[in-house]
Amino acid sequence: MPLYLGLDSSTQSLTAIVLEAGSGRRRVVFESSIAFDDAFPQYGTRHGVLPSDDAAMAVSPPLMWADALELMMDRVAKSGVDLQRLAAVSGSAQQHGSVYLSAAAATGLASLDPARPLADQVAPMLARKVSPIWMDSSTSAECAEIEAAVGGERALAQHTGSRAFERFTAAQIRKFAKQDPGGYAATDRVHLVSSFLASLLTGAHAPMDPGDGSGMNLMDLGACQWWPPAVDSTATGLAAKLPPITPAAASVGTLSPYWQQRFGFPAARVIAWSGDNPCSLVGVGLVREGRLAISLGTSDTVFGLMREPRVDETGTGHVFGAPTGDYMGLTCFKNGSLARERVRDQFRLSWEEFSGILRRTPAGNAGRIMLPWFEPEITPTVLTPGVRRLGFTDQDVAANVRGVIEAQQMAMALHSRWMNVKIDSIHATGGAAANRDILQVMADVFGATVYQLQVGNSAALGAALMALHGDAAAEGRRLPWDEVIKEFVEPIADSALKPNAEHHGLYRDLIETYASHERKALL
Ligand code: ADP
Ligand code: XUL
């Protein structure tokens, strides 16, 4: 019975899931996570990001991701799973982050020495030591320049699925080319985190998939090809430095001799990696239109599948490609888990105590409202951080705990209206989806039933399912996505959290108050 490996390189950790899928038996046989800060203290990251005095800057070391990939492949090899049954591998990665490789990479990737650690051999291939990641908001000037050059915000959104966003790769590439022309000139290939890690597996420059490619402000959504006006407006000579775009879940090579000789892997197929949100779409089972998922990870995201790309006229959200070949709508918030942790840590609470406060305090926080911008925010755009507390102080434990959770849920409900989906159920995923008291607030704010899923890491699961789908397609079998996800993506029995009608009524009014405070704060 074949095995499929899915990897997820997120902001804070690398997760692996191995699935067994044959006739009559479908189950997860291995699951493991590595937290970057703990496993690789030598890089000095906090929550996976290099500390910076500038709140707008967020970069991570790509060599740390390579180290984590090697450690995880070693773990998989030693886990007792029968490696010879491994048919295919795919992966998921935090979106938007970029890795800059020099001309040395083409030969270097193909001739990795199995006797030596991976990161040492990748180091001389880097044209830039750090990768700007999705938490970076330092490129407003470049966003304005790119939009102006392509004929405005609307034109960019209509072609690429999003207006210019600070964290999107085009603005990041432009900033690098302006600030370090030598480093940019030495760059032979710009990868996303996803295509960089896929390249390390195959031993050759891997292409990008449309799901992650659409998080760059460079890809024509309809054609799934680079859009020349955006590429040319971003940086000189960029067209030659971008990988090709391959169809979603296409085969892009096999595990290179490095992995075979170092750890005993077979030449398993490598299926194109994608972004963590596209992978999660599959990993939470949204292979049809009409349902929403919410991921409460390092970022909070709201997303759903779309058959046709309906670009957001308000400029709030994004349309990305989906692994199924469809599209997905998404709105992203930066003040997600780390904002919840800020409140928890300020009052020295455990998650259990935090939840106890949610259970004991009344819905609506007695009309008190927080604007939870501990860090610069993506939705709405807030470049200078600052938490607003209306009607309470930063010393009031209960008001702050309820305040941050209600604010996040109301912001998500407000800023996902553009997707125009009638929501009666929500699939919840990400680390904080383990917390049922947070999910009850979600159910009450959205007026929808919220489900927890059996496999918590939906991005790694989605990647493993893409490996399964891509492997079948490469063998000439077209598996319908409903069949791919069957039995793997199941809500936990009895996990349904139903909305409380009275609380929902209260939030329907409070959300308008929240919206008006938000508007005022942005003036
Ligand atoms: P990533 O986006 O990096 O994949 P995860 O989805 O793994 O992140 O989520 C990690 C976050 O989950 C942690 O930062 C932590 O704040 C949060 N978390 C874990 N357990 C709980 C809990 N019981 N209640 C609330 N948040 C939690
Ligand atoms: C999505 C986004 C984040 C990252 C985090 O647009 O920026 O969700 O993908 O992993």
Side-chain angles (χ1 to χ4, degrees):
M1 220 180 280
L3 301 177
Y4 300 95
L5 168 62
L7 297 156
D8 171 34
S9 181
S10 76
T11 317
Q12 305 191 53
S13 58
L14 176 72
T15 301
I17 285 184
V18 178
L19 304 179
E20 180 177 61
S23 48
R25 197 155 71 177
R26 295 166 80 82
R27 57 181 185 138
V28 173
V29 294
F30 174 81
E31 188 166 357
S32 173
S33 269
I34 296 168
F36 298 135
D37 297 359
D38 300 341
F40 307 107
Q42 65 272 30
Y43 290 102
T45 55
R46 268 187 56 86
H47 300 292
V49 187
L50 290 168
S52 158
D53 293 336
D54 181 351
M57 292 267 297
V59 298
S60 295
L63 293 182
M64 179 179 77
W65 301 327
D67 263 334
L69 180 67
E70 178 176 1
L71 180 61
M72 185 57 88
M73 293 298 270
D74 189 21
R75 270 194 198 174
V76 174
K78 292 187 176 134
S79 67
V81 301
D82 179 1
L83 289 190
Q84 296 320 307
R85 284 160 54 204
L86 185 69
V89 183
S90 188
S92 144
Q94 55 170 307
Q95 297 195 247
H96 318 295
S98 39
V99 182
Y100 300 76
L101 298 184
S102 70
T107 45
L109 287 168
S111 53
L112 292 170
D113 176 0
R116 291 173 51 215
L118 181 64
D120 291 355
Q121 302 181 69
V122 177
M125 303 178 203
L126 295 180
R128 183 180 184 182
K129 281 205 169 62
V130 295
S131 288
I133 65 154
W134 68 275
M135 295 169 116
D136 190 281
S137 55
S138 66
T139 61
S140 302
E142 289 75 16
C143 285
E145 288 159 4
I146 293 169
E147 284 184 344
V150 302
E153 153 176 336
R154 238 184 127 85
L156 189 65
Q158 254 146 16
H159 281 90
T160 69
S162 305
R163 65 168 170 85
F165 278 84
E166 280 76 2
R167 70 192 192 288
F168 276 45
T169 326
Q172 295 293 340
I173 295 171
R174 182 169 176 80
K175 182 181 161 198
F176 179 54
K178 279 165 56 180
Q179 291 194 338
D180 182 1
Y184 178 70
T187 302
D188 180 58
R189 191 60 54 98
V190 182
H191 277 292
L192 289 170
V193 184
S194 58
S195 61
F196 167 62
L197 293 172
S199 305
L200 297 184
L201 291 182
T202 58
H205 283 301
M208 289 174 187
D209 93 314
D212 220 12
S214 44
M216 300 176 80
N217 276 143
L218 292 171
M219 191 190 89
D220 186 310
L221 255 188
C224 284
Q225 288 305 327
W226 300 123
W227 186 45
V231 174
D232 297 342
S233 310
T234 295
T236 312
L238 180 59
K241 300 180 199 275
L242 291 172
I245 300 170
T246 193
S251 174
V252 297
T254 56
L255 284 179
S256 74
Y258 180 81
W259 305 102
Q260 298 177 37
Q261 288 161 28
R262 190 162 172 83
F263 299 119
F265 281 92
R269 250 186 205 115
V270 178
I271 301 302
W273 285 43
S274 190
D276 51 4
N277 291 293
C279 290
S280 273
L281 185 81
V282 168
V284 298
L286 297 199
V287 297
R288 300 188 171 280
E289 211 165 11
R291 237 190 260 146
L292 268 197
I294 292 185
S295 172
L296 304 176
T298 309
S299 61
D300 284 352
T301 56
V302 190
F303 53 90
L305 184 133
M306 285 178 177
R307 285 270 173 250
E308 298 298 329
R310 294 190 300 276
V311 172
D312 175 14
E313 293 294 328
T314 69
T316 305
H318 318 298
V319 182
F320 293 150
T324 54
D326 303 291
Y327 299 90
M328 66 185 287
L330 177 135
T331 305
C332 179
F333 300 83
K334 182 163 158 187
N335 284 285
S337 278
L338 301 185
R340 291 183 282 277
E341 283 181 26
R342 286 276 272 268
V343 174
R344 183 199 62 176
D345 295 346
Q346 185 196 335
F347 299 108
R348 299 178 200 285
L349 303 170
S350 63
W351 283 127
E352 190 35 51
E353 290 164 333
F354 188 99
S355 294
I357 293 173
L358 286 177
R359 285 195 295 275
R360 285 196 306 277
T361 48
N365 217 6
R368 295 170 297 186
I369 281 181
M370 180 191 277
L371 298 177
W373 301 327
F374 292 86
E375 295 294 330
E377 182 49 68
I378 292 168
T379 312
T381 308
V382 178
L383 295 175
T384 310
V387 177
R388 284 18 170 228
R389 296 177 180 83
L390 299 142
F392 63 109
T393 70
D394 63 354
Q395 298 305 310
D396 183 335
V397 189
N400 278 277
V401 166
R402 189 157 266 289
V404 69
I405 298 302
E406 290 187 345
Q408 291 175 325
Q409 297 301 328
M410 289 195 286
M412 286 199 278
L414 183 64
H415 296 295
S416 55
R417 284 180 180 163
W418 70 270
M419 289 183 218
N420 212 0
V421 179
K422 197 188 142 348
I423 310 158
D424 44 28
S425 69
I426 297 173
H427 284 189
T429 182
N435 191 319
R436 292 179 60 80
D437 299 291
I438 295 179
L439 299 191
Q440 185 61 55
V441 179
M442 182 188 289
D444 293 348
V445 168
F446 281 84
T449 305
V450 176
Y451 295 92
Q452 292 169 301
L453 297 154
Q454 258 160 25
V455 180
N457 194 315
S458 55
L461 176 64
L465 293 169
M466 289 187 330
L468 195 168
H469 185 271
D471 186 54
E475 311 241 299
R477 289 181 291 122
R478 283 211 63 80
L479 276 185
W481 279 96
D482 285 322
E483 259 175 57
V484 172
I485 65 169
K486 204 166 71 188
E487 292 174 49
F488 287 124
V489 184
E490 299 290 340
I492 298 175
D494 305 329
S495 75
L497 289 145
K498 297 229 180 298
N500 173 311
E502 192 191 321
H503 295 172
H504 180 54
L506 194 153
Y507 286 125
R508 261 208 307 259
D509 296 336
L510 202 57
I511 215 169
E512 300 311 325
T513 314
Y514 182 87
S516 94
H517 284 304
E518 197 187 81
R519 274 194 304 274
K520 271 188 242 149
L522 295 175
L523 285 179

